[in-house]
Amino acid sequence: MALLVEKTTSGREYKVKDMSQADFGRLEIELAEVEMPGLMACRTEFGPSQPFKGAKITGSLHMTIQTAVLIETLTALGAEVRWCSCNIFSTQDHAAAAIARDSAAVFAWKGETLQEYWWCTERALDWGRGGGPDLIVDDGGDATLLIHEGVKAEEEFAKNGTIPDPTSTDNPEFQLVLTIIKESLKTDPLKYTKMKERLVGVSEETTTGVKRLYQMQANGTLLFPAINVNDSVTKSKFDNLYGCRHSLPDGLMRATDVMIAGKVAFIAGYGDVGKGCAAAMKQAGARVIVSEIDPICALQATMEGLQVLPLEDVVSDVDIFVTTTGNKDIIMVDHMRKMKNNAIVCNIGHFDNEIDMHGLETFPGVKRITIKPQTDRWVFPDTKSGIIVLAEGRLMNLGCATGHPSFVMSCSFTNQVIAQLELWNEKSSGKYEKKVYVLPKHLDEKVAALHLGKLGAKLTKLSKDQADYISIPVEGPYKPAHYRY
Amino acid sequence: MALLVEKTTSGREYKVKDMSQADFGRLEIELAEVEMPGLMACRTEFGPSQPFKGAKITGSLHMTIQTAVLIETLTALGAEVRWCSCNIFSTQDHAAAAIARDSAAVFAWKGETLQEYWWCTERALDWGRGGGPDLIVDDGGDATLLIHEGVKAEEEFAKNGTIPDPTSTDNPEFQLVLTIIKESLKTDPLKYTKMKERLVGVSEETTTGVKRLYQMQANGTLLFPAINVNDSVTKSKFDNLYGCRHSLPDGLMRATDVMIAGKVAFIAGYGDVGKGCAAAMKQAGARVIVSEIDPICALQATMEGLQVLPLEDVVSDVDIFVTTTGNKDIIMVDHMRKMKNNAIVCNIGHFDNEIDMHGLETFPGVKRITIKPQTDRWVFPDTKSGIIVLAEGRLMNLGCATGHPSFVMSCSFTNQVIAQLELWNEKSSGKYEKKVYVLPKHLDEKVAALHLGKLGAKLTKLSKDQADYISIPVEGPYKPAHYRY
Amino acid sequence: MALLVEKTTSGREYKVKDMSQADFGRLEIELAEVEMPGLMACRTEFGPSQPFKGAKITGSLHMTIQTAVLIETLTALGAEVRWCSCNIFSTQDHAAAAIARDSAAVFAWKGETLQEYWWCTERALDWGRGGGPDLIVDDGGDATLLIHEGVKAEEEFAKNGTIPDPTSTDNPEFQLVLTIIKESLKTDPLKYTKMKERLVGVSEETTTGVKRLYQMQANGTLLFPAINVNDSVTKSKFDNLYGCRHSLPDGLMRATDVMIAGKVAFIAGYGDVGKGCAAAMKQAGARVIVSEIDPICALQATMEGLQVLPLEDVVSDVDIFVTTTGNKDIIMVDHMRKMKNNAIVCNIGHFDNEIDMHGLETFPGVKRITIKPQTDRWVFPDTKSGIIVLAEGRLMNLGCATGHPSFVMSCSFTNQVIAQLELWNEKSSGKYEKKVYVLPKHLDEKVAALHLGKLGAKLTKLSKDQADYISIPVEGPYKPAHYRY
Amino acid sequence: MALLVEKTTSGREYKVKDMSQADFGRLEIELAEVEMPGLMACRTEFGPSQPFKGAKITGSLHMTIQTAVLIETLTALGAEVRWCSCNIFSTQDHAAAAIARDSAAVFAWKGETLQEYWWCTERALDWGRGGGPDLIVDDGGDATLLIHEGVKAEEEFAKNGTIPDPTSTDNPEFQLVLTIIKESLKTDPLKYTKMKERLVGVSEETTTGVKRLYQMQANGTLLFPAINVNDSVTKSKFDNLYGCRHSLPDGLMRATDVMIAGKVAFIAGYGDVGKGCAAAMKQAGARVIVSEIDPICALQATMEGLQVLPLEDVVSDVDIFVTTTGNKDIIMVDHMRKMKNNAIVCNIGHFDNEIDMHGLETFPGVKRITIKPQTDRWVFPDTKSGIIVLAEGRLMNLGCATGHPSFVMSCSFTNQVIAQLELWNEKSSGKYEKKVYVLPKHLDEKVAALHLGKLGAKLTKLSKDQADYISIPVEGPYKPAHYRY
């Protein structure tokens, strides 16, 4: 795929797989809108006043149908938008086509190479002469990372002419980042510096990206304000939990058609994602074993009737392995060699380093048989026994299915819209420093409230007398900040 | 699609969508074999003695990957096989291609017209000069129906020269059946009569086909012995229940990506299929309402916390409608007009007449928007509100997903192999008259036993003393015939 | 407790624990009536015509509050009733007192010795001069057994003067039966012969009693017609399954207060009772392991995510052991010695020989510590480790809690009323021979229908056209006899 | 019951129901110890060093078997203890007897009047001449309240001789508090002042008590340091959630024997307690309707398939009403009048004012029929229809059953022991000011870890490399403070 930017008749830039899928994408976007009441309510409430008038927003977030509804909510509120995906497999090509044709600049397709991925990220950040975006919607923090690394390199370059050396790292992905920056130094040695100066802030979608932000805050290296959307209750306790409860079995079924009932499923990690995955497997009739490092989460698992054991103890008994830890080196190639024939191995947590893909790919004599895209059987030479790896170790719900369903993404993305509005409205007030913030609870509660009507749920109203009795306002927020839901 | 039979280089007849998908089909067949221990055990136990040597078997049953493993089990036991699908949407084209290339004559593709469907059925029954098949594997009874109707017409024709009149019926599908027979009368007025004379018997897969057989038995019109595979415990209590529990959400997710959690699901019918569907929806976080005519099944539903109400009472509150009744006229167009916008309507029970597709299609001004194949949005002219109909009202798990998973189909299909063996082995013994038979319990228990090892289950052994105490043989059968499981 | 019959002021015979509890019993009976719509509907429908006018009914069935409502339904329909319990621990003394005071002759108390138990049975069968009862409601078949053994002995005695020898058997309970008969031979050598001649028939409540009846039928020794109530769908699939799902945790909690969540529960047997028990333990957060001899039931367990393993493989890992097999010698003292300290061992299936109580009681040096009635800790001398045995190995839900709840017993007992009516109405018609019968399906469906209104369930009505389409009557029965629900 | 303190032969003061139940209590305490690994581990770890040597601890917390194990853990660590219950129905008399005989001064019995209740509280706080206790274990905050009110009154009295006027309040319970203080002013006008001066701190068990503490902190009136045990994860997310999931059905079954399956249950509030209750009812086969004021909790309920509606909308359809809100005036007498006959009404959340007991008791013509202690049927005069109220509106799991099971209380109480140790060890360090504190996360994780072994759970160990990757210590704590579990 030649990496050339294309343009619509209206002049909008894009690079997608197949523009002819735009009509199909539009139909699915229209279906999704009915399932995304929070976003549609934002259009109704804020659309008339065009609060994002003049704002340039770059997004780096799975380019799916649901994201399309997010993007068109941002544009409905007045923003100009450029978008890339944050995962090489997660783009839905028809969604990308519809948005590119109708609403925003998109650089994304399903099955990017890593090099293509970073090219797309760079394109999404490139607003031409005017510099970078005003706001970033980030997922996993790659757009934020690129700017931070760019600024660091530009400072070094300014100081002593140092140019980043891609061979200085073993990490092939980070080599690409350094290469991009190295190239941009040649054409514009202040590209990222100008970008960060313009930037009002970022709202970050996931645990992994949020962790990076808190580390930068702790190190004093964070370059602009950030809103941690991940830790809104209506995000982390909904999308992570209920989203994965839906999309893990979806991905398994689409990729392998395997019967889940009767099988033994191993879930590495029992955080929100692991809880959703374990619930899904248990409900589908599997026997579930969980691994945990955290004794509290482990004890929660036991209370649900799940067995808690380390991978080593059960690796030969399990049919379906799922990583949800957000950490690395969870399932190593040595584990894989001990697995049952045709055991399924997949990741729904984090990057592809939860599973030792590198160890697998480089195992002497290993044979890869692609059943269909994102479903590979890897056969070990000695045993002739194989395992089935989904989405090359990357997020299987996005690689093998269509990610989380619209309704739960509406919760997450309504938080994003509110966070972006907050950053933009307060851009000159000084309210937000170069720190990481969580949305206030009343906005979190508002996001939830916007989703109840669609499900026929009706709230009970607190009387003034009752509100006084428990010392909270009648209209909320109803819980203290530390409340765990 | 021109209806011309093609031939492989080895001379085997076929008509499939795309022969180039044969390799992909083969890979998925190999995966499925690992999940179908009952069929593989049959190959090991019976393969060496080639019990089907000389037997010609016609199958009319969804041409899926799982069916491919059934077909190749039959051929591994010595049979010659011709196959068609029993549903216009249920063929998996890669499975059909692999079988056509490697193992048996196949006439099937996804998305047949009704006319193509009956052409395929006729092809599968046509063994050339020698007449028809020795044995039939039937699903829904269409192959059996064609022979019975053919024989009836030939008898009429012999008696008084009457030729069937396709315009004598309103049912468009039955018009096609009569047309086929009318044509065959011209070329061979004893075609079906010779066929039924050769025929050793049929083994029938589903409730609907079994009902037809018992009616013919009751009317004294059944022309050959039949084994009712559907009512083996390891079929009806597994495939219907656990199969649908798996494939209903699978079909919903592939067709619509809709979030099931939080929705209201209406399941018409609480038989085995309905029980599986209700369980699946409940587990996925939906609120489930069931309708039933049978007070016993209705009371079972209440014991699981499900609401039992007629469709009329709740039609405007439901998000997902699923018919599982095996009856007709369950959801009528007048119901559909009262539904929520984008309510999903689908059938997993029986023919497409559970849902009033005819009423919908002919509703004045209704507009059909095809989101993607088997997912249509129908918009009513007055309200501009639409509903989403899956698989054109036909079996949604086969039309929108890949049907039941391999493991549970292995239970059903091992019953099929055993039934076919039984009919063939007893073809001259007179054991089977022109009646409907169920497999004896010890064979049913054997089918189950063949599937336990794969799941790591280990049986407890009865001692002689214990067996005597409850008056059963140590080696089973363990239950009386009327036991309900 | 001196075994003397007492009399109410109205002359009714009884022997209960404490007549002062009658008021409390009456209050609970009134509560239960609201929960037993089937029985109350029988009173409304049949009460006015007094169909049991002149009928003498003996019952041998757990003397609980629910049974009290059954008894008073029988008397409301005109019967005279005498009652005993069919289990030494299952009587609720307040229920016995209320019935004894108000409605029927009762001989039952919680904690009978075996000798007292058989004395009570004899009393319940003794209708004075007129001989025995017209009808028997039996549970487990002890009343039926006594008559059959009595008749056999009387025949032997008439033939050759042989008198039964209680020392001829090791079984202590059967010794008591022989002793009773030996005594009665002295006073009336035709007592049981006359009894069986008068007897119209018996309706039997449970699997165990039904098995005995079918054996007698097979052996040609059955002395009178029997209706197998157990195998009505509305009995075996409700009381066994949903009843035990309710009463197993109830019994465990009342007896031990142990937290079920997080524990490992072992369920021996996965029939209807086992299915209910396993569901209850899984839902309460336990990890469940099932043992089975029957591969079909075993495969069902795997489909629900349960592990299937023999007791030997897991005996040291389990916290709660439950026997549901209806067989003997399931948990032996050698198993018990290998259990965890304070493992709970109980039986909800059948007689106290599912658990090797004899082996435990006679184990050298074992120490019994009674925590409270029906909750004993047994300590082994070598390990100082103990196990907790509930209800001395007898039915723990009746011994440690109050048995099944009223609603599900209303299903069972409505079958009993209908069976008794059927036997009585047909007493002279010759319809019933000395065989075992099941109630016809339309009566089974009627029982279910009587229970739907209480739960707010509303049936869907079949149209004539639909009924014809599936060839069943509009008003049912809706399913073939072999249908498994 | 005459309110006279009694003394054991060893001189320990007590007032319990029946000292002869001490042996029974001891047996159950020994059983509970096996289920309370956290407390037993504290005895092993801290017992030898006697850290509580010289500490006088007053407890006001349900005097159950589990609390007995807590008390004896405190005494095993060197403390002297005086105890009362914090609920008039929650004492288990055999537990109280065993502790009074063997370990600590106890003033508690099941079924205290309110006057007796406050007398007991006063006794537990009265350490004789030396003044009050060094430490308080409080549950609901009544002991803390009494001291704060006492100090306030003493200050008023010192200032201007004002004596509290019990008639100044409508609240009958607060009248009793004022009366007690009024009396004490006569004998020692500095009693509570001296008490608060000696006091090192309080550890508080529940939401209600914690709310009071935070209010006092906010108002600046808190007189001593407080540790909020309730908000340890291993407390609020275990005891509230899993404890109630266990004890709600337990209480319902013991009190009413009602079948839960098939019923409609209404759960007011979907916090941790409500979540546990809703899960329990759903699992038992009820249909569950939830009411909520908080949109986030409401949305969580919908994701589990629960209906969310205000009480008004469903009051006539519900069979079982459960309040879990921690607020007042949830179910009013006007609601009760609209309920079905024999609807069950109970509270598991908070005080008896969640249910309008006052309105019920004073409703003209209402009739109370006590079925058994803590189970009352209230009949309205106009309709003759009745409702069943459990535990007089107080905590039904403690009033009608035995409260939470030992294992989950071991989590809560291990937090209590650790909190008490923390307060005592830091009594002179100034670490704790007059504020409310939560235990640090590593102690919370420790509590969980102490409970895993008993359940056979085994943790996975983080490698140094992995720990660095996610920037946490290998040995924990593993989560940020705001993590919600």
Side-chain angles (χ1 to χ4, degrees), chain B residues 312 315-317 333-340 380:
Chain B
E312 287 66 28
V315 69
S316 311
D317 302 327
V333 71
D334 277 346
H335 296 128
M336 299 182 211
R337 296 182 62 203
K338 294 176 190 146
M339 291 177 183
K340 283 185 186 178
F380 290 103

Side-chain angles (χ1 to χ4, degrees), chain D residues 35-54:
Chain D
E35 287 284 301
M36 301 188 88
L39 290 181
M40 299 313 277
C42 287
R43 294 189 195 180
T44 307
E45 181 175 351
F46 303 114
S49 64
Q50 295 285 294
F52 283 134
K53 195 89 193 168

